[in-house]
Amino acid sequence: MSKLIKPEGYKALLDMWQTEQGIKLIKDFFQQNLATELRLRRVTAPLFVLTGLGINDDLNGVERPVSFPIKDLHDARAEVVHSLAKWKRLTLADYGVEPGYGVYTDMNAIRADEELDNLHSLYVDQWDWEAVVSKEERTIGFLENVVRRIYAAILRTEYLTCETYPMIKPFLPREIHFVHSQDLLEMYPELEPKQREDAICKQLGAVFIEGIGGKLSDGKKHDGRAPDYDDWSTVGENGKKGLNGDILVWYPVLNRAIELSSMGIRVDKEALLRQLKTEGKEDRKALYFHQKLLNGELPLSIGGGIGQSRLCMIMLHKAHIGEIQASIWPEEMRKECRRSGMPLI
């Protein structure tokens, strides 16, 4: 059976009807705050894209997309998106979005290779967003400013949730801290990457870990990133590689760190070529998306995804993401969750 954390003495603070109302409250409020904070306009997004265009995100490069033939296109294959990282950048160009503005959308995906546990589901729902930036804004300082603004929207959402449901008490710290993945390795050389995340989040409460995707001094990556969206190889003004990262918070209900967002400044032409070469993926240069970028037809951008169910989960103090979203779970997990006070939808 997949991994399952069963918090001792756990009891859901809201019943299932209150939970459904809380989910709507949080989703409506947060997306409006995010859009206002980052000047984002809502757009409609695809559930699937054609295979072979280089538009779908291949995540760590090993996850298999759910695919199917299209009868009316002579059985050309489409695949359910893993994320919209590259599609959003094409959309910025198609809509002629000006610098300082961007787009956001509801991203729904199926990740059939996901290992199911308290935080991971076959069904993925995110707010995917992307904004146009100038060449001068491709800096760590600009990235950190955007992270602070996103975190401020998260804090406002927590305040509203706790005001609406007084039985829920706030736990998020007022500030988010920044640490590079290389510094994290040097702080905890004896720990594995996920253990380092737990250690730093338990200490600081909310952290943005920078520079995820490239190899560190031990020859290993903190975590995998595809070579063709986040820029994890450009050296920033801090002297370290990477203009991207993850927002994580310490979640006392599960006594562990939870990633809420993966985001970053996207590759420019130079970073794309460098990262494709590093990862041995230079054959991708011939794909539709990559050609558009290499030919200067796409704007410079920053973007990311923010987990909808995960945000609702921590705001409502739930112990399992299946208490927030409807998905498929092993029957034994459903039984164990029921016995442990975690009723799955």
Side-chain angles (χ1 to χ4, degrees):
M1 188 177 75
S2 300
K3 301 174 185 175
L4 180 65
I5 301 173
K6 295 181 285 186
E8 186 176 349
Y10 172 77
K11 187 180 187 312
L13 298 178
L14 305 181
D15 64 28
M16 295 184 79
W17 278 118
Q18 290 173 315
T19 297
E20 293 286 6
Q21 293 167 346
I23 291 169
K24 185 178 188 305
L25 174 79
I26 292 163
K27 289 189 175 185
D28 288 347
F29 182 80
F30 179 78
Q31 68 180 332
Q32 287 299 320
N33 269 260
L34 180 71
T36 303
E37 188 68 52
L38 300 185
R39 297 198 287 188
L40 308 174
R41 299 152 178 159
R42 194 186 186 286
V43 295
T44 301
L47 177 60
F48 38 81
V49 295
L50 284 173
T51 301
L53 298 180
I55 297 175
N56 203 2
D57 173 16
D58 67 348
L59 303 175
N60 289 320
V62 297
E63 295 87 350
R64 300 167 298 169
V66 175
S67 65
F68 57 92
I70 304 172
K71 179 180 178 181
D72 214 30
L73 292 181
H74 308 290
D75 280 347
R77 295 198 72 82
E79 53 191 38
V80 176
V81 295
H82 274 150
S83 86
L84 298 171
K86 288 174 274 190
W87 177 87
K88 290 176 298 181
R89 198 163 176 185
L90 292 167
T91 300
L92 293 178
D94 289 343
Y95 283 50
V97 177
E98 60 270 36
Y101 291 84
V103 299
Y104 81 96
T105 191
D106 289 297
M107 191 284 292
N108 297 288
I110 301 170
R111 295 182 183 170
D113 288 338
E114 201 72 81
E115 185 174 339
L116 307 181
D117 58 24
N118 298 66
L119 299 176
H120 297 89
S121 169
L122 298 175
Y123 170 61
V124 180
D125 56 344
Q126 294 182 169
W127 289 286
D128 255 336
W129 65 275
E130 198 85 9
V132 179
V133 300
S134 67
K135 183 177 180 180
E136 293 71 30
E137 289 172 326
R138 299 188 76 255
T139 66
I140 284 292
F142 181 82
L143 173 65
E144 291 181 353
N145 178 262
V146 173
V147 170
R148 289 188 184 96
R149 291 158 66 189
I150 293 173
Y151 189 68
I154 292 173
L155 286 179
R156 287 194 291 270
T157 306
E158 183 186 48
Y159 174 77
L160 175 67
T161 305
C162 294
E163 286 291 292
T164 305
Y165 302 103
M167 68 286 284
I168 297 176
K169 305 302 178 185
F171 70 92
L172 294 173
R174 307 311 299 169
E175 304 289 338
I176 188 167
H177 300 265
F178 298 87
V179 60
H180 194 277
S181 55
Q182 177 60 43
D183 295 332
L184 199 58
L185 169 61
E186 294 170 7
M187 292 169 65
Y188 305 105
E190 74 286 359
L191 300 181
E192 293 299 313
K194 294 304 178 187
Q195 294 173 319
R196 292 175 216 150
E197 292 178 358
D198 283 342
I200 195 67
C201 284
K202 188 172 185 178
Q203 177 186 341
L204 299 176
V207 182
F208 185 71
I209 299 177
E210 299 172 347
I212 296 178
K215 290 183 179 179
L216 305 177
S217 60
D218 63 353
K220 301 177 183 178
K221 299 177 181 180
H222 181 83
D223 200 358
R225 285 293 182 278
D228 42 18
Y229 58 98
D230 276 358
D231 185 339
W232 42 257
S233 63
T234 293
V235 177
E237 65 271 26
N238 58 358
K240 298 181 176 67
K241 289 183 179 180
L243 303 177
N244 72 323
D246 289 346
I247 296 175
L248 299 103
V249 299
W250 180 253
Y251 189 43
V253 174
L254 295 180
N255 201 37
R256 58 158 293 174
I258 288 187
E259 176 193 322
L260 295 180
S261 176
S262 176
M263 58 174 286
I265 293 172
R266 307 307 197 184
V267 290
D268 57 10
K269 177 179 179 179
E270 292 73 25
L272 175 64
L273 292 172
R274 183 169 57 245
Q275 292 178 185
L276 289 177
K277 183 176 181 179
T278 298
E279 296 297 300
K281 303 290 186 181
E282 292 181 281
D283 57 313
R284 293 189 188 180
K285 290 188 290 185
L287 298 175
Y288 173 77
F289 170 83
H290 303 71
Q291 280 290 299
K292 296 274 282 187
L293 179 52
L294 293 173
N295 291 335
E297 299 174 42
L298 302 180
L300 298 174
S301 68
I302 182 174
I306 301 168
Q308 294 187 16
S309 290
R310 284 196 184 183
L311 184 67
C312 293
M313 179 181 170
I314 70 164
M315 292 295 162
L316 300 177
H317 293 204
K318 299 293 188 178
H320 197 290
I321 202 164
E323 296 179 82
I324 297 295
Q325 56 163 247
S327 187
I328 296 174
W329 308 97
E331 187 56 33
E332 184 57 33
M333 180 179 285
R334 281 193 173 273
K335 292 177 181 177
E336 280 294 308
C337 287
R338 197 176 301 118
R339 287 193 289 264
S340 301
M342 300 180 280
L344 304 189
I345 294 174

